[in-house]
Amino acid sequence: MARLEVLTINQQAVLRSPEADEEATSLETDGLTARFPGGASVDQVLEAAGGCGRFQYRVFLLLFLTYASGAVIMMEPVFLNKLAEESIGFSSLEAHSITSAFFAAFFAGLYLWGFLGDKYGRAPVLTACLLLLFFSGASAPVMHSLSGYAAMRGLSGLACAGVMNTTFVLGVEIVPSEWRANAKGVLALAWVSGTLLLVLVAWLFKDDQGMAGFSTCSIPALLSFVLCLRYLPESPRFLLSAGQQDRANEQLAGIAACNLGPHPWTQLPSLTPSKSGPSGSLRLLFSKQLWLATLVIGFSQGVACLALYGVVFSAESSSAVSDPYLSALLGALVELPAYAIMCPAADRLGRRTTYGGFLVLGAISLGIYPLLEPDNLLRSITVLIARFSAAGSSTVVY
């Protein structure tokens, strides 16, 4: 799959007279003008370009890898914290403080990369973040001081924010709106794949002293960086909002050619010019019509992430069963049914009902947990149920 080039759909030669070609093109154009007198939205053009087809499948293969590369670095403290305590010689409290620093940098990165993504585009921001993720992810495990390790984990948090959220934004922007839940479902599977890769790396290097073997976890970020340089297309939604309507139309024509094949009589409707540039997106979220919804969704995402990462990085989760590798493996696998259920449930029951159901299930399991004896099998099961529900709720909010 080459980087999306300027393509038009009416380049295929056919055995018709010039007069017939001109008449057919005129009729097709008149029909499109009648259907979309003021121009079409990106969703409408994507539907006309084949909906979610071959082009999107190819891009999602690449985005799957970029999201997994972020997940494996993000989840490293599950194994690295204990190794860092032994190798570098700092306390458990300091190790957990570094995890907090990771998320503080992640929080800052959400705004930094979001601003840059709106200004310069999704593709260059994602590519740059992957390079930063590779550097910081490869460097953190070979640090021999608290300050060096903390700095590299902080850089990893900053880079992860750009990789994971820009991947998500690009994924939902290249598909019609009705495919967005499925797009997030694909990326959720990538998250699990990254977690499984981390478990594999930890198991392969379990007999080694130190953390250096975990530098191999940065290889997916390097591979993603190289592939994105060559193949990653820009979002047509960004191009339109940035005032580059001609480029957006060209991108969408290329998507149609990939999904449907070049056809002499297929014409795409022109896009409606964007009324506000990318810089207005934040102001739009806090406009009179949307400010309350923005606050509610933001609070909901905070609750979902608190539940997810609180469970994932807890001592209870890492010791759900006696073997730490099996415990991490079960924790990753238990998320799979949550992601499988999320998409059809959200489409059938609605987002709010599905989100609320996951939260209630998580609250019940976490409420039961302290009442059970430490060696009780049900105690381990409640931890896994809590992770299942936290994964589902956070994905619905996305």
Side-chain angles (χ1 to χ4, degrees), residues 5-15 21 25 250 253-254 257 261-267:
E5 299 175 351
V6 177
L7 293 171
T8 57
I9 300 178
N10 291 325
Q11 291 178 337
Q12 181 174 332
V14 291
L15 298 177
D21 286 349
T25 302
E250 290 164 0
H263 192 285
W265 313 118
T266 301
Q267 297 277 349

Side-chain angles (χ1 to χ4, degrees), residues 206-276:
K206 63 181 179 180
D207 296 327
D208 290 5
Q209 298 297 321
M211 306 182 295
F214 283 85
S215 290
T216 57
C217 291
S218 63
I219 293 175
L222 177 61
L223 179 59
S224 298
F225 169 74
V226 173
L227 292 175
C228 283
L229 278 178
R230 179 68 180 88
Y231 298 117
L232 186 67
E234 186 53 87
S235 162
R237 296 180 195 271
F238 163 75
L239 293 173
L240 180 63
S241 67
Q244 303 179 49
Q245 185 173 351
D246 289 342
R247 280 193 63 196
N249 280 318
E250 290 164 0
Q251 295 280 54
L252 290 164
I255 293 173
C258 183
N259 288 345
L260 306 174
H263 192 285
W265 313 118
T266 301
Q267 297 277 349
L268 293 180
S270 295
L271 289 168
T272 304
S274 177
K275 296 181 180 179
S276 62

Side-chain angles (χ1 to χ4, degrees), residues 53-282:
R54 188 187 315 165
F55 174 88
Q56 283 80 6
Y57 300 151
R58 292 177 177 178
V59 174
F60 268 103
L61 283 175
L62 180 54
L63 297 182
F64 188 99
L65 181 60
T66 65
Y67 207 81
S69 70
V72 67
I73 299 297
M74 195 171 189
M75 295 293 290
E76 280 183 332
V78 171
F79 296 102
L80 273 189
N81 274 358
K82 185 173 179 58
L83 290 174
E85 292 174 33
E86 299 170 355
S87 301
I88 302 176
F90 51 78
S91 68
S92 176
L93 178 60
E94 288 173 322
H96 289 297
S97 297
I98 291 174
T99 300
S100 298
F102 174 97
F103 281 99
F106 188 95
F107 182 80
L110 295 178
Y111 292 93
L112 172 65
W113 302 119
F115 171 78
L116 294 176
D118 278 349
K119 189 174 181 63
Y120 299 108
R122 299 7 173 168
V125 165
L126 179 54
T127 304
C129 288
L130 285 166
L131 183 60
L132 180 60
L133 183 65
F134 166 69
F135 169 75
S136 57
S139 301
V142 297
M143 292 291 111
H144 299 292
S145 67
L146 174 62
S147 59
Y149 179 69
M152 288 302 103
R153 284 302 296 170
L155 276 180
S156 295
L158 190 71
C160 272
V163 169
M164 303 189 74
N165 285 276
T166 307
T167 295
F168 169 72
V169 170
L170 189 54
V172 298
E173 286 188 343
I174 63 169
V175 295
S177 57
E178 63 267 23
W179 285 88
R180 288 175 187 167
N182 294 288
K184 177 54 184 170
V186 170
L187 298 182
L189 294 178
W191 164 272
V192 175
S193 298
T195 306
L196 293 177
L197 175 61
L198 173 64
V199 175
L200 176 62
V201 170
W203 183 79
L204 290 175
F205 291 99
K206 63 181 179 180
D207 296 327
D208 290 5
Q209 298 297 321
M211 306 182 295
F214 283 85
S215 290
T216 57
C217 291
S218 63
I219 293 175
L222 177 61
L223 179 59
S224 298
F225 169 74
V226 173
L227 292 175
C228 283
L229 278 178
R230 179 68 180 88
Y231 298 117
L232 186 67
E234 186 53 87
S235 162
R237 296 180 195 271
F238 163 75
L239 293 173
L240 180 63
S241 67
Q244 303 179 49
Q245 185 173 351
D246 289 342
R247 280 193 63 196
N249 280 318
E250 290 164 0
Q251 295 280 54
L252 290 164
I255 293 173
C258 183
N259 288 345
L260 306 174
H263 192 285
W265 313 118
T266 301
Q267 297 277 349
L268 293 180
S270 295
L271 289 168
T272 304
S274 177
K275 296 181 180 179
S276 62
S279 60
S281 58
L282 189 60

Side-chain angles (χ1 to χ4, degrees), residues 11-30:
Q11 291 178 337
Q12 181 174 332
V14 291
L15 298 177
R16 294 176 65 94
S17 67
E19 293 81 5
D21 286 349
E22 183 177 352
E23 180 181 359
T25 302
S26 176
L27 289 172
E28 183 69 24
T29 302
D30 290 343

